């Protein structure tokens, strides 16, 4: 069996290089070995990367029985998500959960959340310090967490909301890539990181189950709320049965884990790039009401700084890919970063040029920050609307500067790539906010994005 070519360095060295340069590593391997290459890492063993849109299409649109995404995701996301999670299921059970979750996240449906997103962002920006540098990413996380709690969980301001805000952020800090190794899963008298994570998770679960119970009771009294949890409470499986509390808990935790830090990181990269590219920032500031340019800024950010650098599938049967026979069990990854950095698709790919996305978007498999096929991110429209709304609110309310002109280097943080200094910024001036645009206008742009499923 001959695998595609690739570096022969020891696994640890390859992992160290990937961690040191998450974007450049993959792009350089593509330049050296071509559209398909192999690499080996501790824990994961041999991995095959594809870096060409046509091959990415084959991986994304391949049979769900052959390409298992859930099994691949489970290796890095562990058991925190539960056994009903959309992210870690495959085949029939995945499809049936996906059918229940998709409707509230459809382009048309997310428009209703734009107003909540704007309100949340406006309230947070008021609290930012004036004239002193601070890290923007935690501030973006606070915004995206409030948005998920309000728009997805439907929690209202009050004691439980405060407890959610207190208990969720430590979860992100307690999980590290080391948790992938089974010895890190031991309890060690409650002192191991995994044990502390499980304890913190249980305290969040307690709040989630209390919210589900309250909302089931409220649904019986009047069923007129439009957050995602309310819609899921009303959803039915094909046999007519409602989702159980455990299913609801698993999907809410999944949406929280998949949707909160990712969007905050995408926003942080948008500000990091805008503050290093004054002509782009100037054009955006001059056209904050132009949804098309705002949308192009979001798309270009996710192209040049993809939050998730690659997505994985485990092969359940042998296949032939680009002429290479690959055995069952092989981990095949679509290299998002490497596709986005191809000069044949994006001339001068390292330049931050939103204009690339004006007058029509990219071809489906050339722009893949949200993955693809039956596993494409269900929050893609939600995240893009949120990024546009938050960018508009922030830039309309404060003038930001970067304390240093040096670009922030990419750093691996669990399964995402974040700005190494968490996007340092300084508010130099507060502005009188312009009136908000109607959510309907924002939606038109979101609706243009190709939904693959
Ligand atoms: C900029 C923000 C985001 C990025 C970059 C992102 C990226 C991704 C990627 C790359 C995948 C894997 C796709 C694949 O395997 O082909 C994914 C899956 C997923 N995302 Fe997102 N995501 C973002 C925001 C969100 C939001 C806001 C939500 C929900 C509130 C969300 C929920 C999910 C779920 C549930 C899945 C699993 C889909 C499935 O396996 O069927 N994501 N996302």
């Amino acid at each position: 069996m001959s695998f595609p070519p690739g570096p022969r360095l020891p696994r640890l060295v390859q992992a160290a290089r990937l961690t040191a340069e998450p974007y450049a590593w993959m792009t350089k391997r593509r330049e050296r070995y071509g559209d398909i290459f192999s690499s080996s890492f501790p824990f994961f063993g041999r991995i095959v990367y594809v870096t060409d849109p046509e091959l990415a299409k084959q991986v994304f649109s391949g049979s769900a029985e052959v390409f298992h995404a859930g099994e691949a995701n489970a290796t890095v996301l562990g058991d925190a998500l539960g056994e009903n999670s959309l992210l870690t299921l495959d085949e029939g059970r995945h499809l049936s959960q996906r059918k229940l979750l998709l409707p509230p996240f459809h382009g048309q449906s997310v428009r209703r959340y734009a107003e909540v997103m704007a309100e949340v962002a406006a309230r947070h920006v008021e609290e930012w310090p004036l004239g002193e540098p601070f890290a923007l990413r935690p501030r973006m996380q606070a915004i995206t967490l409030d948005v998920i709690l309000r728009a997805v969980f439907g929690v209202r301001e009050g004691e439980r909301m405060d407890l959610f805000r207190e208990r969720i952020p430590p979860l992100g800090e307690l999980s590290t890539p080391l948790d992938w190794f089974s010895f890190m899963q031991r309890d060690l008298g409650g002192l191991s990181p995994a044990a502390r994570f499980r304890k913190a998770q249980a305290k969040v679960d307690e709040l989630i189950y209390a919210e589900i119970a309250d909302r089931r009771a409220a649904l019986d009294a009047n069923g007129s709320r439009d957050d995602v949890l309310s819609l899921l409470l009303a959803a039915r499986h094909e046999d007519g049965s409602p989702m159980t509390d455990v299913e609801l808990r698993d999907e809410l935790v999944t949406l929280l884990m998949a949707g909160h830090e990712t969007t905050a990181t995408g926003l942080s990269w948008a500000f990091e790039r805008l503050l290093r590219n004054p002509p782009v920032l100037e054009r955006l500031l001059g056209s904050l009401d132009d949804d098309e340019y705002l949308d192009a800024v979001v798309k270009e950010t996710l192209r040049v700084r993809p939050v998730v650098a690659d997505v994985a599938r485990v092969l359940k049967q042998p296949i032939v890919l680009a002429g290479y026979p690959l055995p069952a069990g092989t981990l095949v990854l679509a290299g998002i970063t490497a596709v986005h950095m191809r000069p044949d698709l994006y001339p001068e790919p390292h330049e931050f040029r939103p204009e690339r996305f004006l007058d029509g978007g990219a071809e489906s498999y050339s722009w893949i920050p949200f993955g693809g096929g039956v596993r494409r991110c269900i929050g893609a429209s939600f995240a893009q609307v949120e990024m546009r709304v938050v960018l508009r609110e922030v830039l309309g309310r404060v003038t930001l500067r970067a304390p240093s002109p040096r670009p922030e280097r990419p750093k691996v943080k669990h399964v995402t790539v974040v700005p190494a200094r968490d996007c340092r910024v300084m508010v130099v001036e507060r502005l009188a906010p312009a009136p908000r645009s109607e959510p309907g206008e924002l939606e038109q742009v979101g609706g243009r994005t190709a939904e693959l499923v």
Side-chain angles (χ1 to χ4, degrees):
M1 181 89 38
S2 93
F3 276 93
R8 288 169 181 271
L9 296 165
R11 292 175 174 195
L12 259 181
V13 176
Q14 295 197 46
R17 293 207 175 155
L18 169 64
T19 310
E21 291 189 303
Y23 292 141
W25 178 87
M26 207 190 297
T27 310
K28 284 182 194 161
R29 299 288 89 72
R30 186 191 72 76
E31 284 163 6
R32 175 140 186 218
Y33 300 104
D35 295 342
I36 181 163
F37 61 85
S38 310
S39 269
S40 294
F41 300 107
F43 181 68
F44 295 103
R46 194 195 298 266
I47 288 179
V48 171
Y49 281 90
V50 299
T51 64
D52 154 80
E54 190 43 49
L55 291 175
K57 182 178 175 182
Q58 287 180 39
V59 171
F60 287 143
S61 56
S63 151
E65 277 89 54
V66 178
F67 293 88
H68 269 196
E71 196 178 327
N73 292 340
T75 53
V76 289
L77 294 168
D79 57 3
L81 301 176
E83 58 182 41
N84 303 288
S85 166
L86 189 64
L87 267 166
T88 52
L89 289 173
D90 280 302
E91 301 189 31
R93 287 194 65 207
H94 168 260
L95 261 190
S96 98
Q97 288 292 321
R98 191 164 167 109
K99 274 189 196 149
L100 294 175
L101 257 70
L102 262 183
F105 286 101
H106 235 266
Q108 291 299 332
S109 309
V110 295
R111 66 188 292 179
R112 64 166 70 94
Y113 305 125
E115 197 60 26
V116 169
M117 293 166 177
E119 257 175 50
V120 168
R123 185 166 44 76
H124 279 264
V125 174
E126 295 309 310
E127 291 163 12
W128 294 357
L130 185 67
E132 57 182 84
F134 63 94
L136 193 63
R137 200 170 66 88
R139 309 282 178 155
M140 289 295 130
Q141 283 174 282
I143 292 177
T144 58
L145 176 59
D146 272 10
V147 167
I148 294 262
L149 288 172
R150 284 185 54 186
V152 177
F153 287 32
V155 183
R156 293 192 171 149
E157 285 300 336
E159 193 188 345
R160 190 175 297 146
M161 181 69 138
D162 291 339
L163 286 173
F164 268 121
R165 287 190 185 117
E166 190 183 304
R167 293 182 188 179
I168 288 173
L171 282 180
E173 299 312 314
L174 282 172
S175 61
T176 76
L178 285 177
D179 303 343
W180 302 341
F181 296 91
S182 55
F183 65 87
M184 293 298 286
Q185 297 295 326
R186 288 189 207 140
D187 191 83
L188 304 179
L191 293 176
S192 70
R196 284 189 291 139
F197 180 84
R198 282 193 280 268
K199 222 154 124 192
Q201 178 74 61
K203 291 178 100 182
V204 173
D205 284 354
E206 193 183 291
L207 298 176
I208 293 179
Y209 282 121
E211 186 66 25
I212 294 173
D214 285 2
R215 302 287 289 292
R216 275 204 200 279
L219 198 69
D220 294 340
N222 69 42
S224 64
R225 287 166 71 165
D226 64 0
D227 52 82
V228 174
L229 173 56
S230 297
L231 301 172
L232 294 181
L233 282 166
R236 293 292 174 267
H237 289 286
E238 268 163 12
D239 66 3
S241 61
M243 292 177 79
T244 63
D245 283 3
V246 176
E247 276 180 297
L248 287 167
R249 174 269 172 209
D250 289 355
E251 296 310 5
L252 289 177
V253 172
T254 299
L255 296 171
L256 176 72
M257 298 279 196
H260 140 233
E261 295 209 11
T262 43
T263 313
T265 298
L267 277 162
S268 307
W269 276 125
F271 286 106
E272 192 277 345
R273 287 295 75 205
L274 285 166
L275 295 177
R276 306 298 184 301
N277 290 275
V280 178
L281 179 59
E282 206 170 307
R283 175 161 181 189
L284 182 60
L285 287 173
S287 54
L288 272 184
D289 284 326
D290 171 4
D291 279 326
E292 235 191 318
Y293 196 65
L294 201 49
D295 183 53
V297 166
V298 168
K299 290 205 162 72
E300 177 67 344
T301 301
L302 295 173
R303 179 194 70 82
V304 78
R305 296 289 186 272
V307 175
V308 179
D310 47 44
V311 285
R313 306 287 186 260
V314 179
L315 293 184
K316 299 310 287 176
Q317 290 170 26
I319 60 159
V320 177
L321 195 59
Y324 293 98
L326 304 177
T330 306
L331 206 53
V332 178
L333 268 65
I336 296 174
T337 308
V339 171
H340 288 183
M341 283 295 159
R342 290 181 68 110
D344 55 339
L345 300 174
Y346 300 101
E348 299 181 271
H350 294 280
E351 298 289 314
F352 182 63
R353 276 192 213 144
E355 287 70 15
R356 300 178 205 271
F357 290 97
L358 293 176
D359 304 326
E363 300 296 321
S364 311
Y365 295 96
S366 305
W367 186 76
I368 48 171
F370 297 104
V374 285
R375 305 305 299 231
R376 187 173 189 261
C377 174
I378 63 162
S381 293
F382 188 98
Q384 289 173 88
V385 169
E386 185 171 3
M387 286 179 70
R388 291 199 297 273
V389 169
V390 174
L391 278 169
R392 172 178 287 139
E393 284 299 321
V394 171
L395 294 173
R397 286 169 186 275
V398 286
T399 303
L400 293 176
R401 292 272 177 278
S404 156
R406 279 193 17 234
E408 293 202 17
R409 91 189 151 69
K411 185 178 90 174
V412 175
K413 178 127 188 71
H414 205 207
V415 293
T416 59
V417 182
V418 304
R421 281 170 282 144
D422 279 339
C423 186
R424 305 277 302 164
V425 298
M426 186 162 80
V427 174
V428 291
E429 187 189 6
R430 288 194 185 281
L431 309 164
R436 282 186 199 144
S437 53
E438 292 301 312
E441 289 169 39
L442 290 159
E443 177 44 32
Q444 282 191 344
V445 178
R448 245 197 14 229
T449 308
E451 285 283 324
L452 295 178
V453 178

